[in-house]
Amino acid sequence: MAVYDTVGGLLAHALHSQVALHADYGGVVPELASRDHVRKLLPLIDAVRAEASGGPPDGIAYTAGPGLVGALLVGASVAAGLGMAWDVPVVAVHHMEGHLLSPMLEDDPPAFPFVALLVSGGHTLLVEVAGVGRYRILGASVDDAVGEAFDKTANLLGLGYPGGPALAALAESGDPDRYRFPRPMTDRPGLDFSFSGLKTAVLHAVRDAGPNEPLSSLSSPSPESRVPGPDLLADIARGFEEAVVETLAVKCARALDTTGAGRLVVAGGVGANRRLRARLRTLADERGAGLYFPRPAFCTDNGAMIAHVGALRLGEGTPPPAPATVRARWPLDELRAPRET
Ligand code: KG4
Ligand code: ZN
């Protein structure tokens, strides 16, 4: 939840995390997620509006998709209700467009055009961005998203939910040279990704390493994995992280070459990964390209990025009154620039 002002910028924002709620289940439980949204949304809106002060906003943005339909409907219904009560327009925002434009919330925003690497739990996309709503998908994952690969690999290593940050933390103490996992689809042309094979390579490494010291400090591993001791686990985690980071870097370099763009934007949950940020910094510096990240808290899901897109789109003209629509699936390249819609 956030209040964004086109002149003053971000006035207030807050996040209610459901990580603890879902942790026991090892992943998001859709019904629990939407029920928790119902409980938490209105108090969060009150708190953020109090912090931002001022009267009702000029418009309300909500996430209309893609995502879990039950959770989306809670936000859509509340947005529609508030829109009616305050007699202000309601803007349906694409979740990935929120991520895509989130670096613009920072002090040094990127100018158009740029290439964006979007790496979240559900999507891995390389996008050529000419302006708001002017998106050309250059490449996407043909199987698992990067975040999903982090989460599944973390599970294989016996780490809890959410796996990405836990795996990254474990990798810190790992040896980068002990395991060299494949860099999928980097040896052939194109900008698509594939991460499911990498996960299998990790599974084999775990099995080959065999059981070792007891893993008393880690949560119970998934049944099919006979997990080796903590040192080996850290080495495997580091090898996995290196492979992902290198694969993403190769594709980013190729996307900059293909488009001739001089700016690279990175967003989405995996954009919070420290090693990925450092590797792409080196890549950008080597080429004299601009590199733009949101702060880590705005890489992972947040309300500020949705309020920001809502304000941009509202600034281009009032959208027609819409029912509280949501879309579980919604290809990013169906979006149009505000003046075209
Ligand atoms: O964008 P996001 O918050 O939610 C979706 O839209 O999916 O991304 C969540 C994903 C999860 O898969 C999580 O494990 C991953 O981002 N993630 C990370 C890190 N922080 C979050 N992956 C690697 N390193 C991190 N530091
Ligand atoms: Zn997201």
Side-chain angles (χ1 to χ4, degrees), residues 44-339:
L44 202 62
I45 289 174
D46 285 342
V48 170
R49 289 197 60 230
E51 193 188 328
S53 64
D58 297 321
I60 300 168
Y62 71 98
T63 306
L68 292 171
V69 91
L72 294 173
L73 273 170
V74 178
S77 310
V78 168
L82 290 178
M84 268 182 240
W86 287 330
D87 195 21
V88 294
V90 174
V91 190
V93 173
H94 192 295
H95 179 75
M96 296 311 290
E97 185 175 37
H99 279 304
L100 186 70
L101 301 179
S102 61
M104 294 180 158
L105 289 163
E106 303 302 343
D107 288 340
D108 175 28
F112 298 115
F114 54 76
V115 162
L117 173 71
L118 296 183
V119 276
S120 72
H123 293 82
T124 306
L125 295 173
L126 269 168
V127 191
E128 185 178 24
V129 180
V132 175
R134 298 174 60 203
Y135 310 133
R136 187 165 74 93
I137 309 260
L138 302 167
S141 179
V142 298
D143 41 55
D144 293 352
V146 189
E148 191 180 0
F150 264 97
D151 293 339
K152 287 179 177 172
T153 304
N155 187 259
L156 217 62
L157 298 178
L159 305 170
Y161 162 86
L167 191 151
L170 180 64
E172 283 302 305
S173 60
D175 176 351
D177 300 317
R178 185 157 183 182
Y179 286 92
R180 190 185 156 81
F181 293 116
R183 275 71 170 144
M185 295 176 76
T186 50
D187 55 352
R188 55 177 120 146
L191 292 166
D192 286 336
F193 306 88
S194 163
F195 290 104
S196 69
L198 185 53
K199 181 187 61 195
T200 311
V202 171
L203 176 64
H204 288 145
V206 170
R207 286 199 174 141
D208 291 350
N212 205 306
E213 310 129 59
L215 273 177
S216 48
S217 60
L218 300 171
S219 61
S220 53
S222 54
E224 83 265 46
S225 56
R226 299 182 304 141
V227 182
D231 284 356
L232 254 158
L233 273 186
D235 295 346
I236 293 174
R238 183 63 188 273
F240 169 82
E241 196 182 42
E242 292 285 330
V244 170
V245 166
E246 202 45 42
T247 303
L248 294 175
V250 167
K251 298 288 167 137
C252 284
R254 204 176 281 173
L256 290 173
D257 287 343
T258 314
T259 57
R263 282 175 287 267
L264 177 65
V265 156
V266 184
V270 184
N273 184 275
R274 214 175 57 80
R275 262 176 221 294
L276 178 65
R277 293 170 86 97
R279 178 67 186 89
L280 294 179
R281 166 55 58 208
T282 309
L283 180 133
D285 289 349
E286 279 167 4
R287 312 174 137 249
L291 179 66
Y292 303 85
F293 284 109
R295 69 195 82 166
F298 288 169
C299 278
T300 44
D301 289 349
N302 64 85
M305 68 184 194
I306 303 301
H308 171 239
V309 170
L312 286 182
R313 290 203 166 258
L314 208 54
E316 296 287 340
T318 306
T325 43
V326 298
R327 290 180 63 177
R329 290 175 189 280
W330 190 2
L332 181 69
D333 50 3
E334 281 185 13
L335 294 181
R336 295 288 166 263
R339 295 189 195 290

